[in-house]
Amino acid sequence: MQPTLSLLCLPCAGASATMYLRWRRLLPRWIEIVPVELPGRGVRLGEDFVEDFDRMVALLCVEQDAAMRGHFALFGHSMGALLAWGIAQRLHVTGMTLPRALLVSGSAAPSQRDPERFVDLSDDDALIADLRKQGGTPEELFLSPELLRMTLDTLAADYSVCKSFMRVGDASLPVPLHVLAGQKDDIEPWRIEAWSGETVHNGFTLDWFEGGHFFIRQQETRVLSTLAQRLAQSITGGVYAPRAFA
């Protein structure tokens, strides 16, 4: 069976597109995972980081133009959720084809981001403490000076992207919006629930999972099952729903 929907997946801060590679063999065959690599990491390690939100979104829209044709959807976790929303907004404003669905995970709504989130995260010790607090980072990374240096540099650049974000206007998206969240994440529930105001489509859902900020790893099987269900529901007529797990 050939893939019938491309799911562009944007990484969280400090990570690369490799965080989504295993999903290719775990999701239904009608979903084609397209891991989106950001500058300065993974196969783009030799490139300079992009540290501005609007510039990053504009760059990704150009780079992923071919992938965003036909049937596609956007998914992002944490910083990736904000980038996915930014891409959808840019496509909407410029009159381009919109995603069949926007799926966001582990993130406050753009209108309710915590202004104190990145205060005092300007040195290595603070970044390391934040990594440990968020969880999801293998202990082996902290024991490797080279890997830790690369991670901290990437994290600092990505936090600059997040700090540069400014929500302008009130352009709610006319696409189904599906939110995934961890019950023990330190993001206040009301900041997550505010995603409902980011769409004028009646296809809004919010699914809670056991776990903290990286519940997508802790509850991977259930998360992927939910992703497949929500994507199936977002396709006009629900024609994919009977084979959502094929």
Side-chain angles (χ1 to χ4, degrees):
M1 182 187 303
Q2 295 298 312
T4 56
L5 182 140
S6 297
L7 180 61
L8 282 72
C9 297
L10 294 120
C12 59
S16 75
T18 58
M19 67 180 287
Y20 297 116
L21 291 181
R22 61 182 274 111
W23 286 14
R24 285 176 166 168
R25 67 176 187 272
L26 298 175
L27 277 167
R29 289 173 291 174
W30 58 270
I31 300 173
E32 178 189 19
I33 293 294
V34 181
V36 177
E37 194 69 276
L38 306 182
R41 70 213 74 197
V43 297
R44 306 182 68 174
L45 189 59
E47 300 180 31
D48 292 335
F49 291 114
V50 173
E51 301 186 24
D52 177 78
F53 180 82
D54 290 337
R55 184 180 164 211
M56 179 76 85
V57 167
L59 177 67
L60 292 175
C61 284
V62 172
E63 293 179 343
Q64 300 300 321
D65 177 69
M68 294 190 296
R69 296 176 182 271
H71 300 306
F72 75 96
L74 299 170
F75 172 84
H77 180 72
S78 197
M79 178 190 73
L82 196 62
L83 289 173
W85 175 87
I87 291 171
Q89 282 284 354
R90 187 176 179 87
L91 293 175
H92 184 37
V93 170
T94 56
M96 303 298 287
T97 301
L98 294 176
R100 306 305 289 277
L102 173 62
L103 302 99
V104 295
S105 168
S107 173
S111 63
Q112 300 298 334
R113 293 184 60 77
D114 183 0
E116 303 298 317
R117 171 67 181 91
F118 302 104
V119 173
D120 298 328
L121 290 177
S122 58
D123 59 53
D124 287 356
D125 289 342
L127 291 172
I128 290 171
D130 194 62
L131 275 176
R132 291 191 178 280
K133 176 184 177 183
Q134 296 298 324
T137 303
E139 188 62 29
E140 292 77 14
L141 184 143
F142 295 105
L143 301 176
S144 170
E146 182 178 357
L147 289 177
L148 182 59
R149 180 74 268 147
M150 291 172 60
T151 299
L152 294 180
D153 289 345
T154 304
L155 191 63
D158 289 347
Y159 280 178
S160 292
V161 169
C162 295
K163 285 188 287 187
S164 70
F165 170 78
M166 292 186 63
R167 189 180 193 281
V168 180
D170 186 27
S172 297
L173 294 163
V175 300
L177 198 161
H178 305 296
V179 182
L180 290 72
Q183 294 174 345
K184 297 180 181 178
D185 200 330
D186 60 3
I187 303 173
E188 295 95 336
W190 61 269
R191 294 186 190 273
I192 295 173
E193 293 163 357
W195 276 105
S196 62
E198 299 296 334
T199 180
V200 293
H201 195 282
N202 60 8
F204 175 82
T205 63
L206 170 55
D207 291 289
W208 292 94
F209 298 83
E210 178 63 30
H213 189 63
F214 285 98
F215 67 91
I216 63 169
R217 295 175 184 167
Q218 300 161 348
Q219 302 291 334
E220 185 178 63
T221 299
R222 187 180 162 219
V223 165
L224 295 184
S225 174
T226 301
L227 281 179
Q229 287 181 326
R230 297 311 184 197
L231 283 171
Q233 292 168 5
S234 298
I235 303 299
T236 302
V239 294
Y240 300 108
R243 53 191 176 99
F245 304 101

